[in-house]
Amino acid sequence: MAGVGFRRWAQTLTKGRGVGISALLSGARAASGASKGSLPGPYPTTPAERAAAAKKYNLRVEDYEPYPDNGQGFGDYPKLPDRSQHERDPWYQWDHPDLRRNWGEPMHWNFDMYIRNRVDTSPTPVSWNSMCKQLFGFIGFMLFMFYIGEVFPAYQPVVSPAQERSDELFM
Amino acid sequence: MADYKEAPLATRPRTLDPNDYFNLSQEKRRADEERAALRANLKRQYLTQLNNPSRTELIEDPALTRWVYARANPFPHFRPTFKTSLLGIVFGVVPLVTLYYIFKTDRDRKEAQIKAGTRDRKFNLAY
């Protein structure tokens, strides 16, 4: 009985029948719920481990590429392409339409970053060079014009010397 | 559009992607079919559970469980290497130490000024 968890105790005792108690004593448990080998594990070293990991994550063996083993804590989690959910087909019948994801599909490590409210990696309508030129051109132009405005000020209020003297008293 | 350069980290539009036009082969077709078979299997499992009239509980997604578990348990696979130690130092130790020194010297300077009587302390919370 040492290997039996408290939860199974509670479940079998509440059943109240003989079958429950004998199941408890033999250590048998239901086949539902997550099985032992379905959770992420350490980095796969042999080809057999790689095949098992690919099967676990529902990927083809050729598609399965774990993160490099650099000690950063990834284990055998697959390295999926860094694509946001914005790029997925909006017209396909996804199981979870707002996440654009099917049930059982392997999730990207940074899935919560790539949801449709957040980072978007979809192609930009304008090319990168054009965007850079437009943005920095505008900012540069405005900075330059403000600088000119500092050097050559215009539309300063014209005040007579008498009014300037009377203004000073209330400073 | 011939000189379209995509943003760093963004993707190229599919119509400008040369792989779609030149890299089509039997192997690619077979690979796509295998992926579709995996997808169809998962879809079948999900729809069986979804449309089961006697189902009362939520449909558990093992991929989600695996993702949550992997994100919450990186430590068993952590190894101190040059890169991880450098990251730890840069993000953990350096801000702490620099901020301590900055605040300490600033506060000491202000305290010295107050003691010498050179600091302008005219701020009043209530008159």
Side-chain angles (χ1 to χ4, degrees), chain A residues 38 40-42 56 60 63 69 71 73 77 83 87 93 95 101-105 108-109 112 121 123-124 128, chain B residues 4-5 7-8 10-11 31 34-35 42-43 45-46 59-61 63 66-67 69-71 74 77-79 87:
Chain A
S38 70
K56 177 172 72 175
R60 281 172 70 232
D63 288 342
D69 190 19
Y77 204 83
R83 299 279 167 260
E87 293 189 29
Q93 289 266 22
D95 294 337
R101 184 183 162 263
N102 282 321
W103 183 89
E105 189 189 322
H108 193 283
W109 183 270
D112 48 352
T121 59
T124 54
W128 176 248
Chain B
Y4 177 92
K5 186 162 159 269
T11 41
E34 282 178 36
R35 286 184 208 123
L42 289 171
K43 201 78 160 171
Q45 288 180 31
Y46 176 67
I59 303 175
E60 179 203 348
D61 187 353
R66 277 192 288 272
W67 179 72
Y69 182 88
R71 284 282 294 258
H77 312 296
F78 173 78
R79 243 184 18 246
L87 282 172

Side-chain angles (χ1 to χ4, degrees), chain A residues 36-48:
Chain A
K36 211 159 168 214
S38 70
L39 288 176
Y43 185 81
T45 40
T46 65

Side-chain angles (χ1 to χ4, degrees), chain B residues 1-117:
Chain B
M1 262 302 193
D3 56 350
Y4 177 92
K5 186 162 159 269
E6 63 272 23
L9 301 174
T11 41
R12 210 170 163 74
R14 256 191 96 171
T15 45
L16 293 179
D17 185 7
N19 271 334
D20 249 6
Y21 299 104
F22 297 122
N23 203 9
L24 303 169
S25 61
Q26 288 280 357
E27 285 80 30
K28 187 167 185 294
R29 197 61 196 269
R30 228 167 274 134
D32 284 340
E33 280 175 17
E34 282 178 36
R35 286 184 208 123
L38 281 169
R39 243 195 333 263
N41 187 25
L42 289 171
K43 201 78 160 171
R44 180 184 56 79
Q45 288 180 31
Y46 176 67
L47 288 175
T48 317
Q49 289 180 281
L50 184 70
N51 297 324
N52 182 5
S54 56
R55 172 178 65 89
T56 51
E57 66 276 345
L58 291 173
I59 303 175
E60 179 203 348
D61 187 353
L64 182 68
T65 316
R66 277 192 288 272
W67 179 72
V68 172
Y69 182 88
R71 284 282 294 258
N73 298 306
F75 189 67
H77 312 296
F78 173 78
R79 243 184 18 246
T81 66
F82 172 73
K83 186 172 171 191
T84 54
S85 314
L86 191 70
L87 282 172
I89 289 171
V90 164
F91 284 105
V93 175
V94 164
L96 210 64
V97 168
T98 39
L99 285 175
Y100 166 79
Y101 274 114
I102 289 171
F103 288 135
K104 188 89 171 62
T105 46
D106 191 40
R107 295 266 181 99
D108 287 345
R109 187 176 52 85
K110 282 186 194 162
E111 185 65 28
Q113 279 181 345
I114 289 169
K115 287 213 169 92

